[in-house]
Amino acid sequence: MSKPLEGVRVLDLSHVIAGPLASFYLAQLGAEVIKVEPPMAGEVLRSMKEGADTDTPTGFAALNAGKQSLALDIRTAQGAGLLRTLAASADVFIENFRPGVVARHGLDYASIQAVRPDIVYCSISGFGQQGDWSQRGAYDHVVQALTGMMMMSGEGSDAPPLKVGFPVIDVAVGMLGALSIVSALHRRSRDGTGQYIDASMVQASLMLMYTNTCAYLSDGTPTRRVGNRGYTGSPAADTYRCADGWLAVAANTPAQFRKLAAVLGVEELCGDARALDLAAFNAPNGFVVPNDREYVAQRLRQAFAARGAAPLEEQLSQAGVPAARVRKLEEFLDETDATGCVNLPDYRFHQGGGEVRTRGIGFHFDQDGGPSPAGAPALGEGTHAVLARAGLDEASIAELERAGIIRTHAKAAAPLAS
């Protein structure tokens, strides 16, 4: 079964998470992705192997499944020249070096556009290609700090900053990069013109906080740290301790609050003027407005504390109140494996003698054939084939390898140092 991006060729110079995730999306949607890596050791994620004797550890393999590896030293004139030659037949070019780095090697947008005028070229960086901070280095948690994300997590204005517990901005900029590339390819198919894309971690962070960003820019509304509470202000949109764990609930509307109160046996709160703004509570729409938030919260805390989280999750869900027992990621994944609670894609990539398993790319296509079964390539696994297809003969390839400009899979397959 065909995939939507079949026939699209991508040269990907990116490393770590953001750029590789963007090109991973393209690969899984059918594009031919040629991952360009330094020939000595490849990109840095190959080194995060946790003692395993492999150059394709799980973290690397999950982001690079379905790609080819071209081990090529772009710092050399010959290596950069080879890449420009390959770019003449490419549709997409991705890089995530600090602004200015690729230009030193003649691999910037203008240089690639000179050999492929309709190229879709995506640069991913921390702060964008322009501006006084463009040369600053950036990591996910640093951008979380800079853009205010750390001060939106946690409870209360005096609490220390708290980062999101995974590289959320790296992932977001990868997704946005893929979206922008696919959009640019559609535009090119319509009118034949290429595109330069400037994607940054800062822009991705602001998109993750989009409604808050717009509220401040438009109305001057400051951000609030609401901890584990919901955003509506309802005292029943919160996370409560039960007898054996924690439960997040979202009884935002009066109708939901009434159902929650019935399950918990605190129906009297629905008519208690001390607890609630009864005019708002009995209005035809809107959210629950407390008169004495702490009083309501205390009553709810007592009710939740006397019950088990799992049965209460089931009762509330059946009653129409969104609720979930707080789980670890591994608990949730084990539960989806063992039950039919959520229908998730099951992507498995062949990797050495085993497989890398994922839960898909965030959506499921009915008509496009599922994942590519191929795992991530060993360093240089595609070098010979890519260069031969570009017209280099065996002698030229061998000479480039002797000079250290490229690395083929035969060399990469040597036993790794322990």
Side-chain angles (χ1 to χ4, degrees):
M1 189 177 293
S2 65
K3 295 187 178 183
L5 295 184
E6 286 182 5
V8 172
R9 178 171 294 169
V10 180
L11 286 177
D12 178 18
L13 275 66
S14 67
H15 50 282
V16 192
I17 295 176
L21 181 63
S23 62
F24 172 73
Y25 268 95
L26 306 181
Q28 294 308 307
L29 294 174
E32 175 193 4
V33 177
I34 300 169
K35 181 178 180 67
V36 183
E37 306 181 68
M40 286 298 293
E43 77 129 289
V44 66
L45 279 190
R46 288 190 185 272
S47 67
M48 300 182 69
K49 58 189 71 176
E50 298 183 351
D53 186 17
T54 179
D55 72 348
T56 54
T58 299
F60 173 86
L63 287 165
N64 292 285
K67 304 177 187 179
Q68 302 173 54
S69 172
L70 169 61
L72 175 69
D73 191 347
I74 66 169
R75 298 170 302 173
T76 66
Q78 278 183 284
L82 275 173
L83 200 56
R84 284 190 295 273
T85 298
L86 293 172
S89 63
D91 301 288
V92 178
F93 194 100
I94 303 172
E95 62 90 11
N96 67 344
F97 291 95
R98 196 172 299 188
V101 170
V102 290
R104 292 203 296 268
H105 306 299
L107 298 171
D108 55 313
Y109 175 55
S111 300
I112 301 303
Q113 190 185 35
V115 297
R116 180 67 191 242
D118 62 351
I119 194 74
V120 172
Y121 189 114
C122 180
S123 292
I124 298 174
S125 64
F127 301 94
Q129 301 298 305
Q130 307 295 325
D132 294 341
W133 290 356
S134 63
Q135 294 300 309
R136 287 188 178 187
Y139 282 91
D140 189 281
H141 72 283
V142 173
V143 179
Q144 286 193 38
L146 172 77
T147 57
M149 189 176 289
M150 281 189 182
M151 295 304 291
M152 289 190 67
S153 299
E155 182 81 44
S157 58
D158 295 330
L162 184 65
K163 78 178 183 69
V164 178
F166 57 93
V168 58
I169 299 175
D170 282 333
V171 171
V173 75
M175 291 177 168
L176 291 170
L179 173 63
S180 65
I181 289 167
V182 170
S183 299
L185 287 171
H186 177 71
R187 181 178 186 271
R188 193 182 72 168
S189 70
R190 187 186 67 215
D191 60 24
T193 57
Q195 183 69 273
Y196 179 73
I197 300 164
D198 180 359
S200 72
M201 296 174 72
V202 167
Q203 291 181 83
S205 181
L206 294 179
M207 285 307 302
L208 288 165
M209 301 183 290
Y210 182 72
T211 56
N212 305 90
T213 300
C214 294
Y216 179 74
L217 290 174
S218 304
D219 307 318
T221 305
T223 56
R224 296 178 298 129
R225 301 180 78 177
V226 299
N228 292 322
R229 300 192 300 276
Y231 297 105
T232 64
S234 167
D238 206 338
T239 305
Y240 286 96
R241 184 187 286 276
C242 296
D244 56 358
W246 292 85
L247 190 77
V249 295
N252 291 302
T253 67
Q256 291 169 334
F257 190 94
R258 288 187 180 94
K259 294 173 182 177
L260 172 71
V263 171
L264 294 178
V266 291
E267 295 96 326
E268 68 274 11
L269 286 175
C270 298
D272 187 343
R274 175 188 173 186
L276 305 176
D277 179 333
L278 295 181
F281 192 75
N282 293 307
N285 55 36
F287 298 119
V288 176
V289 179
N291 279 334
D292 187 337
R293 175 180 293 279
E294 182 52 35
Y295 169 66
V296 181
Q298 180 59 31
R299 294 290 305 276
L300 293 176
R301 281 195 291 266
Q302 292 172 351
F304 279 107
R307 291 165 170 79
L312 194 52
E313 175 190 65
E314 184 65 24
Q315 285 179 277
L316 290 171
S317 296
Q318 288 184 359
V321 179
R325 180 175 62 84
V326 177
R327 297 157 168 84
K328 292 183 178 180
L329 171 63
E330 49 267 37
E331 290 181 82
F332 174 69
L333 294 175
D334 288 344
E335 191 172 358
T336 59
D337 267 350
T339 71
C341 60
V342 183
N343 183 25
L344 294 172
D346 193 0
Y347 280 22
R348 298 172 187 248
F349 305 113
H350 302 311
Q351 198 66 52
E355 65 181 9
V356 171
R357 186 180 177 204
T358 84
R359 280 303 191 177
I361 56 176
F363 52 85
H364 180 74
F365 276 132
D366 274 349
Q367 303 298 324
D368 290 307
S372 163
L379 178 59
E381 185 173 344
T383 301
H384 187 280
V386 169
L387 296 182
R389 190 171 62 224
L392 275 71
D393 59 27
E394 294 295 326
S396 298
I397 293 172
E399 179 58 33
L400 288 167
E401 183 152 27
R402 281 193 295 271
I405 295 169
I406 65 168
R407 179 175 181 175
T408 66
H409 181 40
K411 185 175 181 181
L416 300 171
S418 60

